Amino acid sequence: MVYTSILDIINLLNCAVMAGILSILEVTHCNSGIWVSYFSDHIMFFWLTYCCAAEVLALNRVLEFVSSYWAAVLFEGKKIWIWIGITVIYGVAGMLAVPDRFYFYNPYGGQYPCLRRTGQPNLIHIVNNFFKLGFITTCYTLMLIFMYCRLYTLKNKISTLQIKVSIQALCMAILADAVTMGYLAASYLPLSPEIVEYTGVFGELLWIALHGGTGIIYVVLNNSVNEKLKLTLKKAVHFCRS
């Protein structure tokens, strides 16, 4: 969850702060050079990496309730570093799989078109998004079913921390599913010209909701984060008054 939070921050900076700056300055690859396309490549890499990390987190959560043995075999100890490596490899592979990719920024529509040099859409991006939607939905549905069975049917003990962490991950998954569906609809459905005019802004708002919403979920549902935030705010208030 710490790793996905780091990716959240990077993605939020890429598609909220940087997108705003590029729009204000009206920066395009035509007037500012090829670096804009390279920057768009960088954004796609971190999105693919984030998607893989979210899927790994979903697999970890569901295995905690389906099979604690396999959860330990796959994730216990330093094995998390292997999974982090897998997410990076996934991001790189997703980029290399489309050698004729041509990503850029449209400052007037507020969006990063994920196209190929032929003008066709990037199928890797579409397949990745749909797979993430299906995989995460399936994993967390199974997690809820097995959590219910262990709590009320099998009477197996589940720690309060385990339940809280799983609920936090579930909330993140629900938000990710909603954002993925909305972004796919805005990007690929045949929409009227009046709606198309605002799809870029709509997509950026969805992106902000996903990557910024994670922090809100932690503040509201994670007692440790909540207490640390209160302590930090108290120290800040005391410093300002002194």
Side-chain angles (χ1 to χ4, degrees):
M1 293 177 77
V2 172
Y3 179 57
T4 57
S5 296
I6 293 172
L7 293 175
D8 275 323
I9 294 171
I10 294 173
N11 283 321
L12 195 59
L13 290 172
N14 284 340
C15 289
V17 177
M18 285 303 300
I21 292 173
L22 295 178
S23 285
I24 291 172
L25 298 178
E26 297 187 355
V27 172
T28 69
H29 57 289
C30 295
N31 61 28
S32 301
I34 194 64
W35 73 266
V36 179
S37 292
Y38 293 150
F39 179 70
S40 302
D41 273 352
H42 147 91
I43 288 175
M44 178 61 76
F45 165 76
F46 277 106
W47 170 245
L48 293 174
T49 303
Y50 172 82
C51 288
C52 187
E55 290 158 8
V56 170
L57 177 61
L59 179 62
N60 171 257
R61 288 295 90 207
V62 72
L63 284 180
E64 288 288 345
F65 298 97
V66 174
S67 173
S68 56
Y69 170 77
W70 281 109
V73 168
L74 294 175
F75 293 100
E76 196 171 79
K78 296 183 179 180
K79 295 187 184 74
I80 186 61
W81 295 106
I82 297 175
W83 288 104
I84 289 175
I86 290 173
T87 65
V88 174
I89 292 171
Y90 179 86
V92 172
M95 297 294 294
L96 298 179
V98 190
D100 62 336
R101 62 189 179 276
F102 183 59
Y103 312 142
F104 57 93
Y105 184 69
N106 175 6
Y108 309 106
Q111 60 179 320
Y112 294 90
C114 302
L115 303 175
R116 305 174 72 168
R117 289 185 188 136
T118 58
Q120 297 299 312
N122 180 358
L123 292 180
I124 293 295
H125 181 230
I126 298 174
V127 170
N128 169 79
N129 284 11
F130 273 112
F131 179 80
K132 173 175 175 282
L133 176 66
F135 186 86
I136 288 180
T137 301
T138 300
C139 282
Y140 282 105
T141 300
L142 290 174
M143 185 197 78
L144 288 175
I145 293 172
F146 281 93
M147 183 189 293
Y148 175 83
C149 290
R150 291 184 62 177
L151 280 172
Y152 301 107
T153 306
L154 301 178
K155 304 299 182 182
N156 288 350
K157 291 183 179 180
I158 305 175
S159 69
T160 303
L161 176 62
Q162 191 177 34
I163 294 175
K164 286 184 176 180
V165 169
S166 297
I167 294 301
Q168 291 166 41
L170 173 63
C171 292
M172 291 162 55
I174 292 172
L175 185 58
D177 274 1
V179 171
T180 300
M181 288 189 291
Y183 203 88
L184 285 170
S187 300
Y188 300 110
L189 287 182
L191 304 173
S192 66
E194 292 79 11
I195 297 178
V196 169
E197 184 179 355
Y198 297 100
T199 54
V201 176
F202 177 64
E204 295 297 340
L205 290 175
L206 289 174
W207 193 286
I208 293 170
L210 171 58
H211 299 294
T214 301
I216 296 173
I217 290 170
Y218 287 152
V219 169
V220 174
L221 299 179
N222 190 303
N223 291 337
S224 178
V225 173
N226 194 286
E227 290 300 321
K228 288 290 184 181
L229 179 63
K230 288 180 180 178
L231 182 61
T232 302
L233 290 175
K234 286 181 181 178
K235 288 181 178 179
V237 172
H238 177 73
F239 177 79
C240 292
R241 287 177 176 175
S242 62

